[in-house]
Amino acid sequence: GDRDEKAEAGGSGRCTGCSLLCAVCKIACFACCRRYICVCCCAPPPAPRPEISVLCLGVGPGGKSTLLAALSGENTDDIQPTNGFAIKAIVTPRAILVVKELGGSEKVQPYWHRYFSGHKAIIFVVDSTASDEQISQSRAALQKCLGDPALSGLPLLVLFHRQDVGGAKPIDELTGKMQLGSIIDGRTCIVKATSIRDVDTLRASFEQLVDCLMDN
């Protein structure tokens, strides 16, 4: 009821505050270290990197929290699925991505639309080991999100994650089952097969998204 929703909102607010504080501290530490190094080398500091807000979605526990933790330099041991939402700062050569990850549980999905405004791109994570029924649910959720006016035309990065796990479907099969060609509605779409064991590919995927945003 309303009481449960208020309790959940309060908990999410506290978690969000902590996540936001951690992200801000990480960005500030990076900036301070960069200035210190430049001063010691008697060189002018480089131009500050822009901060770009992006949205990270996905149905169920598909590995979103773990991959974001790995990319932001955090410990990935014993990562728990996000309940509500969390914010991570990911530093790339050209920009700092401020990633808002929304929980993928059935309980949280109805509230996704409340957090759509103010972002420049969408990251959608699909579990490559998911059943056909689960992939169908992911397709329906993505199609609904892409139809929201707040996300209209935003570039899309689709990560078919957990490719290192037994039973993972290949990228071509997953692309077909998600019917990406028919639901992206003309927007730029980057599709990658990823795993937590290959952080370099994950990082390159995010950097490609940044290039897309910076060059267009």
Side-chain angles (χ1 to χ4, degrees):
D2 291 341
R3 184 177 303 173
D4 292 338
E5 184 175 335
K6 289 179 181 177
E8 181 183 348
S12 296
R14 289 189 292 272
C15 292
T16 300
C18 293
S19 297
L20 181 57
L21 180 60
C22 289
V24 170
C25 288
K26 188 166 297 181
I27 294 170
C29 287
F30 171 79
C32 288
C33 289
R34 182 176 58 188
R35 290 195 200 99
Y36 176 76
I37 291 171
C38 291
V39 169
C40 290
C41 296
C42 299
R49 304 182 197 190
E51 296 179 14
I52 303 174
S53 296
V54 300
L55 191 64
C56 184
L57 305 167
V59 173
K64 300 186 297 299
S65 301
T66 303
L67 72 85
L68 291 175
L71 289 173
S72 58
E74 298 178 2
N75 192 338
T76 59
D77 296 336
D78 196 29
I79 296 290
Q80 299 299 315
T82 297
N83 181 23
F85 70 87
I87 297 174
K88 300 290 184 186
I90 298 175
V91 178
T92 74
R94 300 183 68 186
I96 298 173
L97 288 177
V98 181
V99 183
K100 180 180 287 184
E101 177 206 354
L102 304 187
S105 69
E106 293 183 356
K107 186 177 182 180
V108 176
Q109 287 179 47
Y111 302 100
W112 278 2
H113 67 280
R114 298 185 179 181
Y115 304 97
F116 283 174
S117 298
H119 301 288
K120 301 299 183 182
I122 309 160
I123 301 167
F124 196 86
V125 181
V126 179
D127 184 351
S128 298
T129 69
S131 66
D132 287 349
E133 180 180 356
Q134 291 169 325
I135 293 173
S136 178
Q137 293 171 353
S138 290
R139 181 181 67 248
L142 176 59
Q143 186 171 13
K144 183 177 180 180
C145 292
L146 297 183
D148 191 287
L151 303 180
S152 177
L154 297 187
L156 171 66
L157 170 62
V158 178
L159 301 178
F160 292 126
H161 197 50
R162 303 186 72 207
Q163 283 285 317
D164 57 316
V165 179
K169 298 175 177 63
I171 186 172
D172 291 343
E173 180 180 347
L174 289 164
T175 300
K177 290 181 180 295
M178 287 289 292
Q179 299 178 9
L180 291 179
S182 64
I183 67 175
I184 60 174
D185 194 27
R187 73 186 68 220
T188 299
C189 181
I190 302 167
V191 181
K192 298 290 183 179
T194 59
S195 79
I196 196 61
R197 296 180 182 273
D198 186 1
V199 178
D200 288 343
T201 297
L202 274 171
R203 190 170 300 281
S205 302
F206 279 64
E207 290 175 4
Q208 185 176 349
L209 179 62
V210 170
D211 289 341
C212 172
L213 291 167
M214 300 284 286
D215 295 337
N216 295 296

